Amino acid sequence: MSAHVEPPSPQGALVVIPTFDERENLAPIVARVRAAAPAASVLVVDDDSPDGTGVLADELAAADAAVHVLHRTGKEGLGAAYLAAFDWALERGFDPIVQLDADGSHRPEQLPDLLGALELADASGRRPDVVIGSRWVPGGSIVNWPRRRVWLSKAGSSYARWMLGLPVRDATAGYRAFRADALRALHLEDVHTRGYGFQVDMTWHAVMAGLSVVEVPITFVERERGRSKMSAGIVLEAMGRVTGWGIARRFRRPGQAATAASTERRRSRA
Ligand SMILES: Nc1nc2c(ncn2[C@@H]2O[C@H](COP(=O)(O)OP(=O)(O)O[C@H]3O[C@H](CO)[C@@H](O)[C@H](O)[C@@H]3O)[C@@H](O)[C@H]2O)c(=O)[nH]1
């Protein structure tokens, strides 16, 4: 008989900040998050940054009980970092769980917009499961982003919308709030994308799980310190994944999708 495991006591909201070489940005962004959402906790997920970001994160955690650190042994990608953070958060009862970049691109001052949108029921009385901070809905905007990145983001989101039939305009966005139950429902064990395509992977799995995904406008501000970790490999991984899912989606018979998803789950657990 399986031992009865008490669910963790509710811990409130958690803002997850993934870091790789963000020493210059970490203290300011944590301070801004704590000011914008004082009741929320913070989890820094550092992939063994060579610039000492992890050491600084430990110093911030020592000074503030609401700040936590998850150290990883090497640079395994943004998606892997978030998946580890989601497991950490769900085990401890945090709800909701927010994704936010360390470099200031996602303005912590808009956390109330995302967290507030999670509580806004629609006409049927259903509250959203996922809120995406979107650059490409009315009211959304970008500041100082290079033109080639604007093009890449819009092209990537449009391609994902077309190939996967996603009802989302900014599928690659990285500023998101999830209900804990939403993360449990979308089968994180089936999310395998390690790079930024992770964002599309999560959107695709949320939609396939029948979750309510809404977008709220945000202002995305190009970082002022450090550099982006975006790479050609990240773009190629994302394109390959979306193309594969899109082709599979077009050739599956109705009803076969659920079988395929459960087969994929069994395979990934084997
Ligand atoms: N732990 C960890 N963190 C990482 C890694 N790669 C990047 N990060 C962190 O993830 C955040 C975003 O990284 P950037 O490299 O600055 O992202 P970007 O080029 O500005 O791309 C943004 O827009 C994309 C397109 O909309 C988004 O897909 C992406 O997630 C990000 O928000 C930063 O906090 C960065 O330190 C990694 O391998 N491991």
Side-chain angles (χ1 to χ4, degrees):
M1 188 170 93
S2 63
H4 175 67
V5 178
E6 279 298 318
S9 56
Q11 295 294 320
L14 179 74
V15 178
V16 179
I17 304 177
T19 56
F20 189 75
D21 281 353
E22 300 290 354
R23 185 175 178 84
E24 300 170 287
N25 294 311
L26 186 61
I29 201 71
V30 169
R32 286 172 63 186
V33 169
R34 299 286 287 120
S41 299
V42 172
L43 174 67
V44 177
V45 192
D46 184 66
D47 274 17
D48 196 23
S49 297
D51 74 348
T53 305
V55 173
L56 174 58
D58 287 335
E59 292 167 5
L60 296 175
D64 183 343
V67 178
H68 308 272
V69 188
L70 181 58
H71 290 285
R72 296 168 52 74
T73 54
K75 188 176 189 315
E76 294 179 27
L78 180 66
Y82 269 129
L83 288 170
F86 293 156
D87 287 344
W88 186 96
L90 293 175
E91 283 166 7
R92 290 163 178 79
F94 286 100
D95 184 13
I97 297 150
V98 180
Q99 294 180 199
L100 181 138
D101 288 355
D103 60 356
S105 296
H106 301 147
R107 297 175 58 244
E109 292 74 21
Q110 291 193 274
L111 277 168
D113 298 343
L114 276 77
L115 295 173
L118 272 179
E119 300 310 316
L120 287 179
D122 62 17
S124 70
R126 181 177 184 187
R127 295 182 304 169
D129 299 299
V130 184
V131 174
I132 294 178
S134 179
R135 296 156 292 193
W136 313 131
V137 295
S141 61
I142 39 122
V143 175
N144 295 335
W145 219 21
R147 199 181 301 273
R148 63 180 173 75
R149 285 303 306 271
V150 174
W151 181 86
L152 182 64
S153 175
K154 284 189 171 179
S157 289
S158 302
Y159 183 64
R161 271 169 64 84
W162 177 65
M163 283 297 276
L164 305 177
L166 292 179
V168 167
R169 294 200 167 281
D170 196 350
T172 67
Y175 198 3
R176 303 180 172 208
F178 296 87
R179 290 194 181 291
D181 285 345
L183 289 177
R184 293 186 185 99
L186 59 75
H187 297 291
L188 294 171
E189 70 274 13
D190 294 340
V191 177
H192 302 296
T193 310
R194 287 294 175 257
Y196 299 6
F198 162 82
Q199 312 293 6
V200 180
D201 201 341
M202 288 288 285
T203 309
W204 174 227
H205 276 85
V207 170
M208 279 204 295
L211 298 179
S212 164
V213 181
V214 301
E215 294 181 274
V216 296
I218 61 148
T219 298
F220 182 97
V221 183
E222 173 60 329
R223 65 165 62 226
E224 292 174 4
R225 291 177 298 273
R227 61 171 189 81
S228 166
K229 286 71 185 177
M230 177 62 84
S231 67
I234 284 173
V235 174
L236 290 173
E237 179 199 39
M239 294 285 289
R241 293 259 189 207
V242 171
T243 303
W245 296 327
I247 291 169
R249 171 174 171 260
R250 280 166 169 73
F251 290 100
R252 268 184 201 143
R253 289 186 304 283
Q256 192 181 12
T259 311
S262 60
T263 303
E264 189 181 326
R265 272 195 290 284
R266 279 199 303 277
R267 190 184 317 120
S268 63
R269 275 200 289 270

